[in-house]
Each structure stands twice: as C-alpha cells, then as structure tokens.
Amino acid sequence: MKILTFKTAEEIGEAAGKLFVETVQKKDKAVLGLATGATPVPTYTYMAKACDAGEVSFKNVTTFNLDEYCDLPKEHKNSYYSFMFENLFSKIDIDPANVNFLNGNAADAQAESDRYAAAIEAAGGIDIQFLGIGRNGHIAFNEPSDRFTNNAFKVHLTESTIEANSIYFDDVPMPHYAMTMGIGSIMRSKKIVLVATGKAKAEAIRTMVKGEIDPQCPASILKAHPDCTVILDEDAASLL
Ligand code: PGA
C-alpha cells in the first residue's frame, strides 16, 4: 500500500486524477471503477479539465460504479447515477452506453449481482478502481461485518453511514438499503486508488493502515492488494 499525503483537496484531485488519465491514455479500451461521495469530486474536476484540454478522450472507456441506493428512482437527484452524470459524465466525452451501474431497484438482488459480475468480466475486468472510505472503514457499501464479501449484494446500511449521508436528502428519507460491489469485485481490480480527506476519516485510515486485516474494517483488506495507492490530506493522515 503506497500512501501519499497532500495539503489541499485540489492537489489530491490532481494526484488521483492523473492516475485515471494515465490509465486511459495507455489503454485503448480502459475500464474504470468509479466512486461517489464528496471526496472524489476534485478528482472528477481534474479528469473533466484534462478531457476539455484535449489531453485525454473517454470515448472508448467503460465504467462501473461501485454502488447504488435501493428504493430510489434512478433519475432522483440523490441517486448515484445522477451524481455521476452531474459531476463527471456530462463533462467528458464518454458514450453513455458504456456506463454501468448496479440497479438498486432490481427485484432479484442475486440475479443483479450475477449480471454485474458478468458485465465486468466481459469488459475485461477493472483496470483502475476508485474508492473513498467511510468513517466506519467501509469501502463502497461494504459495512463492518464478520466476513469479507465477494460479488455485489444488497446491504442494510449502518447507522453511521445513514447519519453521514442523510444530509444530502431533503425531499425523501435516505434509503436504508443499497446494492454494492463486494470486496472480491474490488480486489480483482488491477489497480486501486483510495482517497480520504478530513479529521472524520483519520480513525478509519489509522485502522486500515495500522490494524490487522479484519472485516470489521473492510478497507483493511486493501493491504493485501498488490497495487493500491492511498491519497490523503494531512487531517486524514493525522493518526498515522
Ligand atoms: P464521502 O464518502 O467521500 O462523502 O466522505 C466516502 C464513502 O463513504 O465511501
């Protein structure tokens, strides 16, 4: 696990964004695993600027997002589908046919998980996977648990996650369930980039880096990945 620390969110966005841009520049049909939340936004801003400047084209890129809420229409402003179009896809030259999301409203969660795993495999696997981290050490919506998961599944979100994300919901209550990629799907990515900013993430980062590999801190499994870069600000790195 390689750990880089920067002073500002913009510097973090540039450092993480460059890793994605380089991957797309090097490989004709790159496959990107993408994340939502506040932390990834500066990275998406960097990627959009690089596209605008003609440094990179996303025309042949395929994307797979990590997770999606259940019981929320895809078009709702708080869906992760809407988030991605607002923060990235509307600002780059990606073909909307090449963007993939878990369907949080699928009637059969197992069939939806199988569909997503098959689609990732058919695309050739994920070349570079973007991750944030929850205050409780979650990655995607893999909450602290007794075991590490494999492919995508339907998850009951923890109180900590509901508390952290409910500030974004003003017209409907925040969903308590989501479909999320599992730990196995994340770990099969060729490269992983995790970003974290702010004091609220410091404890989760300490446990991830210094603790044992333990499903009670799902992010701790990343220590077993051969190519994982962790990009932090000084607050998030303050307990290391
Ligand atoms: P945040 O979410 O970037 O909004 O803090 C990260 C996460 O919960 O994975």
Side-chain angles (χ1 to χ4, degrees), residues 36-40 132-134 138 140 168 201:
T36 50
T39 324
I133 183 170
H138 74 205
Y168 299 114
K201 300 292 174 68

Side-chain angles (χ1 to χ4, degrees), residues 35-41 66-67 80 83 131-141 143 161 164-165 167-168 195-197 201:
T36 50
T39 324
V41 172
L66 282 171
D67 40 22
Y80 286 156
F83 176 97
L131 295 175
I133 183 170
R135 297 172 202 179
N136 61 5
H138 74 205
I139 46 175
F141 276 138
E143 303 282 34
T161 300
N165 289 11
I167 52 162
Y168 299 114
V195 292
T197 55
K201 300 292 174 68

Side-chain angles (χ1 to χ4, degrees), residues 40-74:
V41 172
T43 303
Y44 293 149
T45 304
Y46 178 89
M47 287 160 70
K49 275 194 192 140
C51 184
D52 219 31
E55 288 165 28
V56 64
S57 169
F58 293 86
K59 274 201 180 92
N60 294 329
V61 162
T62 298
T63 66
F64 289 90
N65 260 81
L66 282 171
D67 40 22
E68 182 58 282
Y69 289 117
C70 296
D71 312 313
L72 190 71
K74 180 179 161 189

Side-chain angles (χ1 to χ4, degrees), residues 121-188:
E121 203 183 320
I126 293 172
D127 292 305
I128 179 167
Q129 175 66 58
F130 202 13
L131 295 175
I133 183 170
R135 297 172 202 179
N136 61 5
H138 74 205
I139 46 175
F141 276 138
N142 289 274
E143 303 282 34
S145 155
D146 292 339
R147 61 181 189 93
F148 287 114
T149 55
N150 185 18
N151 285 333
F153 64 101
K154 183 171 179 172
V155 60
H156 189 201
L157 301 172
T158 61
E159 281 308 316
S160 149
T161 300
I162 292 168
E163 191 196 320
N165 289 11
S166 55
I167 52 162
Y168 299 114
F169 286 82
D170 53 15
D171 57 344
V172 294
M174 174 171 158
H176 286 196
Y177 286 88
M179 284 291 295
T180 180
M181 263 196 214
I183 295 290
S185 323
I186 292 168
M187 289 295 281
R188 283 189 286 277

Side-chain angles (χ1 to χ4, degrees), residues 66-148:
L66 282 171
D67 40 22
E68 182 58 282
Y69 289 117
C70 296
D71 312 313
L72 190 71
K74 180 179 161 189
E75 294 74 23
H76 189 275
K77 64 181 169 63
N78 288 119
S79 75
Y80 286 156
Y81 175 87
S82 296
F83 176 97
M84 288 307 302
F85 274 89
E86 186 182 330
N87 289 287
L88 183 65
F89 297 152
S90 64
K91 301 177 181 171
I92 59 174
D93 59 348
I94 195 161
D95 179 350
N98 292 343
V99 311
N100 295 277
F101 286 83
L102 282 157
N103 177 4
N105 295 304
D108 181 340
Q110 185 57 53
E112 179 57 8
S113 166
D114 294 345
R115 179 193 71 79
Y116 215 53
I120 293 171
E121 203 183 320
I126 293 172
D127 292 305
I128 179 167
Q129 175 66 58
F130 202 13
L131 295 175
I133 183 170
R135 297 172 202 179
N136 61 5
H138 74 205
I139 46 175
F141 276 138
N142 289 274
E143 303 282 34
S145 155
D146 292 339
R147 61 181 189 93
F148 287 114

